[in-house]
């Protein structure tokens, strides 16, 4: 819940975040909360998890990257 002194602004922030959460996945496979669950699973399984933040005309979108695609050098 946002901590803003004005109730109307808190409601607007909540609506904006909820709308973004539905489309946060750049690949369109899940929503933000599904991505969170996938990241936690990746951390537990592989010990690491990577997320790419991609700026789009519609705002920021997220893409989970498999650890094997990340260069270790």
């Amino acid at each position: 819940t946002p901590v803003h002194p004005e109730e109307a602004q808190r409601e607007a922030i909540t609506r904006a975040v909820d709308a973004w959460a539905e489309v946060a996945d750049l690949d369109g496979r899940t929503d933000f909360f599904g991505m969170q669950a996938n990241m936690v699973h990746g951390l537990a399984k592989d010990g690491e998890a990577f997320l790419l933040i991609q700026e789009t005309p519609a705002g920021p979108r997220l893409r989970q990257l498999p650890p094997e695609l990340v260069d270790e050098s």
Side-chain angles (χ1 to χ4, degrees):
T1 302
V3 182
H4 193 282
E6 298 177 27
E7 183 177 349
Q9 287 297 321
R10 285 194 306 269
E11 291 173 1
I13 292 167
T14 298
R15 282 192 305 274
V17 170
D18 288 346
W20 174 80
E22 290 294 319
V23 297
D25 186 352
L26 186 63
D27 298 317
R29 294 181 183 150
T30 187
D31 63 7
F32 176 72
F33 305 104
M35 292 190 82
Q36 279 186 316
N38 291 340
M39 296 295 287
V40 169
H41 177 76
L43 283 169
K45 179 182 170 200
D46 301 318
E48 56 191 3
F50 298 95
L51 192 65
L52 172 72
I53 303 171
Q54 180 75 43
E55 190 62 41
T56 72
R61 299 295 184 259
L62 310 174
R63 174 178 283 155
Q64 186 174 359
L65 300 176
E68 60 271 9
L69 293 183
V70 177
D71 185 6
E72 295 182 24
S73 60

